[in-house]
Amino acid sequence: MLRRTLPRALSSASSSLHGVPLDATSINANVRAAEYAVRGNVLERSMELQRRMAAGEMLPFKKFVPCNIGNPHALLQLPLSFHRDVLALCISPHLASDHPSAFNPDAVERAQKYATEMGGGVGSYTNSQGILAVREEIAAFITERDGYPAYVDRIYLTNGASEGVRMLLTCLLRGGELHDGLLTPIPQYPLYSASLTLLGGTLVPYHLNESMDWGVQMENLAEALATARGNGVEVRGIAVINPGNPTGNILAEDQIKDIIQMAVDNKLVILADEVYQSNIWKEGASFSSFKKVACDMGYHGEDGDERLQLVSFHSTSKGYFGECGLRGGYMEVHGIGPEVRAELYKLASLSLCSNTVGQLAMGMMVNPPKPGDPSYQTFEKERGDILSSLRRRSMMVHKALNEMEGITCNKADGALYAFPRIRLSNKAVQAAADKGIPTDEYYCLKILDETGIILVPGSGFGQEEDTLHFRTTFLPSEDTMEETLKVLASAHNKFMDDHRD
């Protein structure tokens, strides 16, 4: 029998040691310090108001409009027929024989292919890296998109892109006294700031330029890196969100090249968050992946070539798919050697595997029906209707916000959000200070109490000093969005009148 003994000093002191209950004072301090504004104080206030409304209390409004989070189906975006049919057949295979006329042959064929690959069906564990057939579909998608090969052993299926980001940061940030940091765009999606806090890393901010359509200025990036290193931070990587969240900017290829070369020169791992790659609204614009541009520059990432280390993330939650709750995602590693890939596999295996429904959803997202398939025409219409409506809504929100007093808003060239700047009076600033909250949070709470519209304060994403913003999605249906903007304009005017100096 293997026996373990306590060190003598610990053993002799054990009689004086007592257990510590888990409470607010003993919880991991990093957990307490982490903040996630998308589900922060404004959302908590909305849930309180919803409980009061459900209890019969009369509020100034009759419904809530959740513009705080990119959750398309919660705002009644319809699921895609082919994808839900295949999922239904994978979950309940008997449907194909019970209702043979209800499903197109290509949906039945895809479900049978997945069933053969999984063996035990959706209720069984898969390979920790993900279902091989799905990883093959992802590799084919990346190869077709970029014109360069992708490999199944470098693709990891995850529960949404967020899990992939956390896995990679867990490997990247060494903790302890090493002061590892990550260059992070400001404004940023708070997944990054919260994860850095949880893992003991340092957020190294590089500010996007609002006056240049939220573009990256390389001199600011270089200065942020030099300042952090001068302060003893070991900067190990750079996060890039393209298209941007919350800013809606799209990086041009020249900007991507500059970031890649800086990463190579400074031995930084690039985390390329590319979950909005299908959400491109700017006329004439297109999405270029970091992987494609890197390969164009000669950084092909073969084993033994670690000049550029790049990890790219994608998700079923955005684009035209919008299946947030299915938690499908993947990450592709590029220029990452086999030893680190093995450690990533070990991390994935701690959760055994990502959920099978999310894996299958990712496979269908990257490999939808093709021309000539029985489901193609329906799929193409559904996808086209969703994307064209989102484009119209992005324009509608931009126009309405810029017509409001004290608000300026860049166009959302991509993604699902607007991030307007708001200029508020000294009286509003003081009212917020009296309550001990940021001014933009005070504004969002007032709008919520008046209208039921749920926004996110810009302070939760980070912003230039002495500026104020909020983030809103443009996911409500076109009719709802139009009405919501009218209600917001009225409440905004009231706020401005109530807070004039």
Side-chain angles (χ1 to χ4, degrees):
M1 180 184 295
L2 180 63
R3 298 185 62 190
R4 298 182 183 230
T5 58
L6 292 170
R8 180 175 299 175
L10 183 57
S11 178
S12 63
S14 62
S15 61
S16 63
L17 294 178
H18 302 282
V20 179
L22 179 63
D23 59 26
T25 62
S26 64
I27 195 171
N28 184 323
N30 289 346
V31 173
R32 195 165 58 248
E35 296 180 350
Y36 188 66
V38 172
R39 299 202 172 192
N41 292 335
V42 178
L43 182 64
E44 288 183 9
R45 172 66 173 168
S46 76
M47 291 189 291
E48 176 194 339
L49 292 174
Q50 288 176 60
R51 288 191 293 269
R52 287 163 51 182
M53 179 181 283
E57 182 176 339
M58 296 295 293
L59 298 176
F61 50 88
K62 295 182 179 180
K63 65 178 181 179
F64 292 86
V65 185
C67 293
N68 60 306
I69 192 167
N71 193 11
H73 288 205
L75 289 155
L76 306 183
Q77 178 176 307
L78 295 176
L80 299 170
S81 301
F82 172 82
H83 301 74
R84 284 297 182 89
D85 283 353
V86 174
L87 287 180
L89 290 164
C90 288
I91 294 169
S92 301
H94 63 85
L95 291 174
S97 55
D98 291 353
H99 305 279
S101 62
F103 301 96
N104 282 334
D106 53 343
V108 175
E109 181 182 347
R110 181 73 67 89
Q112 290 173 340
K113 173 188 173 183
Y114 288 149
T116 300
E117 177 67 27
M118 288 185 292
V122 295
S124 58
Y125 290 133
T126 72
N127 179 287
S128 294
Q129 201 163 339
I131 299 166
L132 177 60
V134 173
R135 285 186 283 135
E136 289 172 342
E137 289 177 307
I138 294 169
F141 160 76
I142 295 170
T143 300
E144 181 179 358
R145 181 194 68 189
D146 296 341
Y148 295 98
Y151 306 99
V152 295
D153 64 336
R154 302 182 189 190
I155 294 166
Y156 298 75
L157 286 158
T158 57
N159 290 308
S162 299
E163 183 179 72
V165 171
R166 286 192 295 269
M167 284 175 60
L168 197 282
L169 288 177
T170 300
C171 289
L172 192 64
L173 302 171
R174 296 167 294 178
E177 302 299 320
L178 295 171
H179 303 295
D180 287 345
L182 181 76
L183 280 162
T184 307
I186 298 297
Q188 51 98 31
Y189 179 50
L191 164 69
Y192 294 93
S193 54
S195 298
L196 286 164
T197 300
L198 285 171
L199 295 168
T202 299
L203 188 149
V204 179
Y206 66 94
H207 288 270
L208 305 179
N209 190 322
E210 186 169 9
S211 66
M212 296 175 59
D213 295 325
W214 297 110
V216 176
Q217 288 186 290
M218 293 307 297
E219 55 269 29
N220 291 347
L221 194 50
E223 182 180 355
L225 176 61
T227 299
R229 287 181 168 170
N231 291 330
V233 178
E234 182 63 58
V235 182
R236 304 210 67 205
I238 175 171
V240 186
I241 309 172
N242 182 43
N245 176 11
T247 55
N249 63 306
I250 301 172
L251 291 177
E253 282 202 11
D254 286 346
Q255 288 183 308
I256 295 174
K257 287 178 181 178
D258 289 341
I259 293 168
I260 288 171
Q261 195 57 53
M262 179 186 182
V264 170
D265 294 342
N266 290 278
K267 301 189 184 311
L268 303 176
V269 179
I270 297 176
L271 284 70
D273 184 334
E274 298 177 335
V275 303
Y276 299 99
Q277 59 188 262
S278 295
N279 300 118
I280 305 296
W281 317 129
K282 183 178 180 180
E283 195 70 34
S286 61
F287 168 78
S288 295
S289 75
F290 269 74
K291 164 88 175 287
K292 174 192 179 299
V293 177
C295 290
D296 287 346
M297 296 172 69
Y299 299 116
H300 292 280
E302 297 94 345
D303 281 347
D305 181 5
E306 299 180 2
R307 293 173 298 162
L308 172 68
Q309 296 188 306
L310 165 68
V311 185
S312 305
F313 305 92
H314 202 3
S315 168
T316 62
S317 299
K318 312 304 177 188
Y320 55 86
F321 206 59
E323 295 274 17
C324 301
L326 299 186
R327 306 312 298 136
Y330 76 77
M331 63 178 179
E332 182 198 17
V333 300
H334 180 84
I336 304 291
E339 297 86 358
V340 175
R341 298 204 299 270
E343 297 297 335
L344 284 168
Y345 185 88
K346 179 175 70 178
L347 268 184
S349 69
L350 295 179
S351 300
L352 298 174
C353 68
S354 61
N355 82 89
T356 52
V357 171
Q359 292 188 47
L360 298 178
M362 178 54 72
M364 287 180 281
M365 191 186 86
V366 299
N367 184 23
K370 302 292 193 296
D373 290 346
S375 299
Y376 176 73
Q377 287 188 339
T378 298
F379 162 72
E380 190 65 13
K381 181 180 187 307
E382 290 172 343
R383 178 175 63 175
D385 287 349
I386 290 168
L387 290 174
S388 60
S389 177
L390 283 169
R391 178 178 284 106
R392 289 192 296 270
R393 280 175 271 169
S394 75
M395 297 168 61
M396 182 191 307
V397 168
H398 171 259
K399 180 177 184 295
L401 289 173
N402 279 297
E403 290 174 350
M404 297 182 198
E405 178 187 357
I407 291 184
T408 55
C409 183
N410 289 340
K411 283 185 178 179
D413 293 337
L416 301 174
Y417 316 99
F419 196 64
R421 181 174 177 179
I422 51 176
R423 294 165 177 82
L424 302 179
S425 65
N426 292 330
K427 184 176 179 179
V429 172
Q430 186 58 52
D434 291 343
K435 291 182 175 294
I437 58 176
T439 306
D440 48 12
E441 182 176 314
Y442 174 77
Y443 172 86
C444 290
L445 287 167
K446 286 291 188 181
I447 294 296
L448 170 63
D449 288 346
E450 185 75 21
T451 68
I453 300 170
I454 309 171
L455 307 171
V456 187
S459 50
F461 300 92
Q463 53 197 349
E464 286 278 5
E465 191 174 352
D466 298 325
T467 68
L468 301 169
H469 300 78
F470 64 83
R471 190 190 77 167
T472 178
T473 71
F474 39 83
L475 289 171
S477 68
E478 290 185 63
D479 289 345
T480 301
M481 194 77 253
E482 186 174 8
E483 178 60 28
T484 298
L485 289 168
K486 291 177 182 177
V487 172
L488 176 60
S490 177
H492 175 78
N493 289 338
K494 181 178 184 301
F495 180 95
M496 299 298 277
D497 289 341
D498 290 347
H499 294 83
R500 295 202 185 278
D501 293 331

